[in-house]
Amino acid sequence: SPDLIAKFNLVAGMLPIFKAFRDNLKSGVQLNAKVSDKFKKCLEQLSEFQVVNGEPVKDCQKLLRNLQVVDVMVEILKMHGQSYIIQAGGKDHLADVCCKIYVCLETYLLGNSRKNELYAAKYIPFFQSQIGQGLNAETMAMELARDNRDIIDRLPRSQMDSFVDLLLRKKDGRYLDFLGVLCECDGIAIPENQVYICQKLLEEHKDSKIVYLTEPTKDKKSMEVSVDGGVSWKPLAKFAAKGGDDEQNPYEYLEHQLDLFGKMCYGRNEYVIDVITKKLRYLTWTEVFICLKDGTLPDHLRAKYCELIVGMFVDVSPNYSALETLELSFIFNEVREEPAGDSIQVADTSITGARLEFFPDLRKWIAGFMSKNTDMTASNIGDNELIGEVFRLLYYLVSFGYYSAACDIEELLKPLMGVLDGTNDKPFDKARGDPLKEYRETGRFQPSPQNKAVVDAKFRAMEVLDVYFGSMFPRTRTLDKPPLILPCK
């Protein structure tokens, strides 16, 4: 098609530029700011070319593989630090170029294309050698290993140790992200890596100030954070209000730390959960619940704490899905109108017999939160992420049988249906007229990060309804319509 031909021509037209830049470096041509800036613009254009509306395009990405642009970029990376490279002005212009190359390679690996990953995997030993040199190799290596079990299994323990050593020298959230990628793959936990990282990072270096500490204020209504091992404290709301990257704002590092905690606990890793919540007390129930309720915190951060509530306090033993013990035949004399009556009398007990002491407080907060969120605004990505995570939390609570009475779900049904209905959804606050009409007719169906957050939340709302109706089916037995009675032999 003309579109594919245009894409091919763009990458094919850039290839001679890449080769000429490589050959000039090899032949000793001086690299100055003007030349490096032009080449960096080409790299930026190539990165933007691979992503449309925030989503990676495979037809664009594979051209870098088919036309061997990836190989040429790696050849340029290998020249960094070589003695024959001549640079003007005493500045390392090639380092800036290498950073842009790694950004371009990271974009090339987005979307979990196995062909793209395997093509780049042959350079893994070289990529590892450039980690920690300030060339942005860490982010690209993380994207290469993400959800690729073959690559993760090939990484030696010494590689994990090296990232811990890098964290001891510099608190960089990208190092935490890389360790998180090694903890789970395609939704399947890797317990041996989770435990090893927990031991090396948290237990062996518990006094190294790698971990940012948090604790409740005296009134138990907000949180404080310490970045220096408890020497000084500041309000978490003010700490999170500042923007910037890892070097300018430690808040970004805190977000990466929370992501790593979630990855390490994923899959009910009891050892790691015990270390984080009890032994070292980096995150307790009181702390995460305060953060979830605190409206002064960014919604994006509150969503992370909601996710941690699921992984550390709800989706844990002895909780299990009530549908795992589904019964389809019953003794008639024992059938009653409300089979879950015993659990209804105890507010913190599931129909399976498991208990969550904090469930009454959590249920009260969920009901209040849901009553205030009956529609969605696409531009409020953080708020939509929080709504989606609350639905995910609700899914587990319903699945585990804590919402066992009909009245429990009735208070949530209206906001759930309001979110799913979509008739009140809008692109931004106070949207009126044509922008609102255009969004509801076509805009909401276009791929974008804003629409993705909305769709994810609605999908999780449907999961809640699905598991609720599934769990209610075996409990809707009444004496008005008795079940089929089979004769005993």
Side-chain angles (χ1 to χ4, degrees):
S1 68
D3 180 58
L4 293 178
I5 293 174
K7 291 176 180 177
F8 176 87
N9 289 339
L10 189 146
V11 179
M14 283 189 172
L15 184 57
I17 300 175
F18 280 70
K19 290 183 176 180
F21 185 85
R22 175 201 61 189
D23 296 338
N24 287 339
L25 290 177
K26 285 183 177 180
S27 60
V29 176
Q30 187 181 62
L31 179 61
N32 54 38
K34 183 178 180 180
V35 174
S36 64
D37 287 344
K38 286 184 177 181
F39 190 68
K40 285 189 289 185
K41 288 182 180 178
C42 289
L43 289 167
E44 291 172 358
Q45 183 180 357
L46 192 59
S47 297
E48 295 171 357
F49 164 74
Q50 299 176 75
V51 178
V52 177
N53 293 325
E55 298 294 327
V57 181
K58 289 188 177 181
D59 286 339
C60 299
Q61 292 173 315
K62 69 180 183 181
L63 290 173
L64 274 69
R65 180 185 79 239
N66 294 338
L67 296 177
Q68 298 183 336
V69 177
V70 171
D71 302 272
V72 179
M73 287 194 287
V74 172
E75 289 184 51
I76 297 173
L77 289 171
K78 290 181 178 180
M79 296 181 188
H80 181 260
Q82 299 299 323
S83 57
Y84 58 80
I85 301 298
I86 304 174
Q87 306 194 63
K91 184 181 178 181
D92 193 356
H93 300 290
L94 186 55
D96 296 335
V97 170
C98 290
C99 288
K100 293 293 183 181
I101 289 178
Y102 273 119
V103 171
C104 189
L105 288 174
E106 178 190 354
T107 310
Y108 159 77
L109 293 169
L110 293 176
N112 290 329
S113 169
R114 284 293 179 262
K115 289 183 179 180
N116 290 347
E117 291 173 353
L118 291 174
Y119 191 83
K122 59 186 177 182
Y123 297 115
I124 285 179
F126 168 71
F127 294 146
Q128 291 174 347
S129 69
Q130 292 205 316
I131 289 175
Q133 296 185 19
L135 302 178
N136 204 34
E138 300 81 7
T139 308
M140 192 283 305
M142 175 187 67
E143 198 60 43
L144 179 59
R146 189 189 305 278
D147 292 333
N148 194 321
R149 190 61 184 262
D150 291 336
I151 293 177
I152 291 176
D153 289 341
R154 292 177 186 176
L155 293 176
R157 291 286 172 89
S158 59
Q159 190 66 45
M160 303 182 200
D161 296 341
S162 67
F163 273 91
V164 175
D165 293 338
L166 289 170
L167 281 166
L168 292 172
R169 296 199 294 268
K170 178 185 176 183
K171 293 179 180 179
D172 192 325
R174 294 173 299 178
Y175 303 152
L176 296 177
D177 286 345
F178 186 87
L179 293 175
V181 166
L182 305 181
C183 291
E184 64 96 13
C185 178
D186 267 338
I188 300 176
I190 308 178
E192 56 271 21
N193 287 355
Q194 292 173 322
V195 172
Y196 185 79
I197 292 172
C198 176
Q199 293 172 339
K200 295 294 293 186
L201 182 67
L202 303 184
E203 296 184 273
E204 292 187 16
H205 299 285
K206 61 182 179 181
D207 299 323
S208 63
K209 303 178 182 180
I210 290 180
V211 177
Y212 286 176
L213 306 178
T214 55
E215 68 175 19
T217 55
K218 293 181 180 180
D219 60 5
K220 304 293 184 180
K221 293 183 179 179
S222 59
M223 295 290 295
E224 294 181 326
V225 61
S226 174
V227 301
D228 52 14
V231 177
S232 60
W233 298 84
K234 61 182 67 176
L236 180 57
K238 293 183 178 179
F239 182 78
K242 300 178 181 179
D245 54 28
D246 291 345
E247 295 180 355
Q248 297 174 349
N249 178 24
Y251 166 66
E252 298 291 335
Y253 183 85
L254 175 64
E255 282 198 338
H256 294 301
Q257 175 181 301
L258 296 177
D259 290 336
L260 177 60
F261 282 174
K263 295 286 188 181
M264 291 166 64
C265 297
Y266 183 78
R268 299 192 174 200
N269 193 311
E270 295 182 2
Y271 177 86
V272 178
I273 293 173
D274 184 71
V275 169
I276 294 177
T277 62
K278 296 179 181 179
K279 184 177 179 180
L280 299 179
R281 297 183 64 83
Y282 285 138
L283 280 177
T284 63
W285 162 253
T286 302
E287 293 178 7
V288 294
F289 192 45
I290 289 175
C291 291
L292 177 62
K293 296 187 297 181
D294 191 353
T296 63
L297 296 179
D299 291 329
H300 179 68
L301 181 61
R302 295 171 67 193
K304 289 186 180 294
Y305 279 104
C306 187
E307 183 180 359
L308 290 174
I309 286 177
V310 174
M312 293 183 176
F313 301 99
V314 175
D315 188 19
V316 295
S317 180
N319 289 318
Y320 64 90
S321 175
L323 295 177
E324 292 180 3
T325 56
L326 184 64
E327 296 182 53
L328 297 178
S329 59
F330 312 93
I331 300 175
F332 180 78
N333 292 335
E334 296 180 2
V335 174
R336 48 185 172 169
E337 224 171 301
E338 184 48 77
D342 295 337
S343 65
I344 293 174
Q345 302 300 320
V346 184
D348 60 357
T349 303
S350 162
I351 61 174
T352 64
R355 291 186 61 201
L356 288 178
E357 295 181 358
F358 52 80
F359 176 65
D361 294 332
L362 182 58
R363 177 172 59 183
K364 181 179 179 180
W365 178 85
I366 290 175
F369 177 83
M370 294 303 304
S371 65
K372 299 176 183 177
N373 294 273
T374 56
D375 54 45
M376 308 192 75
T377 303
S379 61
N380 298 337
I381 297 180
D383 184 46
N384 295 334
E385 289 178 347
L386 176 58
I387 293 173
E389 288 301 330
V390 172
F391 284 151
R392 179 170 175 266
L393 170 61
L394 194 57
Y395 168 85
Y396 279 96
L397 292 172
V398 173
S399 176
F400 294 154
Y402 286 96
Y403 284 87
S404 54
C407 60
D408 293 335
I409 202 67
E410 285 178 2
E411 65 182 2
L412 301 175
L413 194 58
K414 183 177 179 180
L416 274 172
M417 297 307 297
V419 169
L420 287 172
D421 185 6
T423 55
N424 296 323
D425 291 354
K426 47 190 179 293
F428 51 86
D429 290 325
K430 299 180 181 180
R432 298 288 188 276
D434 291 339
L436 181 60
K437 181 180 179 181
E438 181 183 355
Y439 170 76
R440 289 179 176 173
E441 290 181 353
T442 59
R444 67 169 66 183
F445 306 111
Q446 304 300 320
S448 69
Q450 293 83 0
N451 289 339
K452 183 178 185 302
V454 172
V455 171
D456 287 346
K458 291 180 183 292
F459 179 75
R460 286 178 173 173
M462 288 190 290
E463 287 184 318
V464 174
L465 291 178
D466 180 63
V467 72
Y468 175 72
F469 291 132
S471 62
M472 285 300 294
F473 170 72
R475 303 205 299 269
T476 55
R477 309 184 302 273
T478 65
L479 296 177
D480 295 333
K481 294 182 179 180
L484 174 66
I485 304 175
L486 299 177
C488 298
K489 293 183 178 180

mmCIF file of all heavy atoms in Angstrom, residues 4-5 23 60 77 249 268 297 361 446 472:
data_model
loop_
_atom_site.group_PDB
_atom_site.id
_atom_site.type_symbol
_atom_site.label_atom_id
_atom_site.label_comp_id
_atom_site.label_asym_id
_atom_site.label_seq_id
_atom_site.Cartn_x
_atom_site.Cartn_y
_atom_site.Cartn_z
ATOM 1 N N LEU A 4 2.566 1.928 3.425
ATOM 2 C CA LEU A 4 3.729 1.093 3.753
ATOM 3 C C LEU A 4 4.943 1.493 2.918
ATOM 4 O O LEU A 4 6.085 1.463 3.410
ATOM 5 C CB LEU A 4 3.392 -0.379 3.523
ATOM 6 C CG LEU A 4 2.342 -0.992 4.461
ATOM 7 C CD1 LEU A 4 2.069 -2.440 4.073
ATOM 8 C CD2 LEU A 4 2.810 -0.913 5.906
ATOM 9 N N ILE A 5 4.714 1.868 1.664
ATOM 10 C CA ILE A 5 5.825 2.308 0.809
ATOM 11 C C ILE A 5 6.444 3.589 1.361
ATOM 12 O O ILE A 5 7.672 3.744 1.390
ATOM 13 C CB ILE A 5 5.329 2.521 -0.640
ATOM 14 C CG1 ILE A 5 4.931 1.176 -1.255
ATOM 15 C CG2 ILE A 5 6.406 3.190 -1.489
ATOM 16 C CD1 ILE A 5 4.302 1.303 -2.631
ATOM 17 N N ASP A 23 30.832 5.751 9.363
ATOM 18 C CA ASP A 23 32.087 5.727 8.602
ATOM 19 C C ASP A 23 32.960 6.936 8.916
ATOM 20 O O ASP A 23 34.197 6.831 8.975
ATOM 21 C CB ASP A 23 31.790 5.676 7.103
ATOM 22 C CG ASP A 23 31.079 4.378 6.713
ATOM 23 O OD1 ASP A 23 31.203 3.393 7.463
ATOM 24 O OD2 ASP A 23 30.413 4.369 5.655
ATOM 25 N N CYS A 60 6.285 -0.162 11.464
ATOM 26 C CA CYS A 60 7.392 0.805 11.474
ATOM 27 C C CYS A 60 8.610 0.228 12.182
ATOM 28 O O CYS A 60 9.745 0.398 11.728
ATOM 29 C CB CYS A 60 6.946 2.103 12.152
ATOM 30 S SG CYS A 60 5.572 2.947 11.331
ATOM 31 N N LEU A 77 27.363 2.665 18.820
ATOM 32 C CA LEU A 77 27.480 2.558 20.280
ATOM 33 C C LEU A 77 28.828 1.979 20.693
ATOM 34 O O LEU A 77 29.415 2.393 21.696
ATOM 35 C CB LEU A 77 26.347 1.677 20.825
ATOM 36 C CG LEU A 77 24.931 2.257 20.789
ATOM 37 C CD1 LEU A 77 23.918 1.186 21.161
ATOM 38 C CD2 LEU A 77 24.802 3.439 21.739
ATOM 39 N N ASN A 249 14.164 15.302 41.176
ATOM 40 C CA ASN A 249 13.055 15.076 42.080
ATOM 41 C C ASN A 249 13.029 13.634 42.553
ATOM 42 O O ASN A 249 12.725 12.727 41.780
ATOM 43 C CB ASN A 249 11.735 15.420 41.370
ATOM 44 C CG ASN A 249 10.542 15.149 42.274
ATOM 45 O OD1 ASN A 249 10.667 15.145 43.493
ATOM 46 N ND2 ASN A 249 9.402 14.915 41.681
ATOM 47 N N ARG A 268 1.755 -13.904 45.384
ATOM 48 C CA ARG A 268 1.669 -14.348 46.777
ATOM 49 C C ARG A 268 3.007 -14.841 47.318
ATOM 50 O O ARG A 268 3.094 -15.929 47.924
ATOM 51 C CB ARG A 268 0.620 -15.452 46.939
ATOM 52 C CG ARG A 268 -0.792 -15.033 46.558
ATOM 53 C CD ARG A 268 -1.804 -16.048 47.017
ATOM 54 N NE ARG A 268 -3.170 -15.600 46.779
ATOM 55 C CZ ARG A 268 -4.246 -16.091 47.399
ATOM 56 N NH1 ARG A 268 -4.095 -17.074 48.267
ATOM 57 N NH2 ARG A 268 -5.447 -15.627 47.132
ATOM 58 N N LEU A 297 -2.800 13.654 47.738
ATOM 59 C CA LEU A 297 -1.761 12.987 46.950
ATOM 60 C C LEU A 297 -2.201 12.891 45.493
ATOM 61 O O LEU A 297 -3.395 12.856 45.198
ATOM 62 C CB LEU A 297 -1.492 11.586 47.490
ATOM 63 C CG LEU A 297 -0.917 11.473 48.900
ATOM 64 C CD1 LEU A 297 -0.737 10.008 49.279
ATOM 65 C CD2 LEU A 297 0.407 12.213 49.016
ATOM 66 N N ASP A 361 -13.485 -1.196 57.350
ATOM 67 C CA ASP A 361 -13.034 0.160 57.019
ATOM 68 C C ASP A 361 -12.806 0.304 55.520
ATOM 69 O O ASP A 361 -13.136 1.342 54.926
ATOM 70 C CB ASP A 361 -11.736 0.485 57.767
ATOM 71 C CG ASP A 361 -11.936 0.552 59.264
ATOM 72 O OD1 ASP A 361 -13.068 0.888 59.689
ATOM 73 O OD2 ASP A 361 -10.974 0.271 60.005
ATOM 74 N N GLN A 446 -10.594 6.248 19.427
ATOM 75 C CA GLN A 446 -9.253 6.375 18.877
ATOM 76 C C GLN A 446 -8.215 5.910 19.899
ATOM 77 O O GLN A 446 -8.354 6.185 21.099
ATOM 78 C CB GLN A 446 -8.970 7.825 18.463
ATOM 79 C CG GLN A 446 -9.974 8.397 17.475
ATOM 80 C CD GLN A 446 -10.019 7.608 16.183
ATOM 81 O OE1 GLN A 446 -8.984 7.190 15.673
ATOM 82 N NE2 GLN A 446 -11.228 7.404 15.657
ATOM 83 N N MET A 472 -22.648 -15.306 42.821
ATOM 84 C CA MET A 472 -23.992 -15.289 43.378
ATOM 85 C C MET A 472 -24.840 -16.453 42.879
ATOM 86 O O MET A 472 -25.802 -16.845 43.521
ATOM 87 C CB MET A 472 -24.695 -13.973 43.033
ATOM 88 C CG MET A 472 -24.218 -12.788 43.844
ATOM 89 S SD MET A 472 -24.477 -12.999 45.616
ATOM 90 C CE MET A 472 -26.271 -13.009 45.688
#
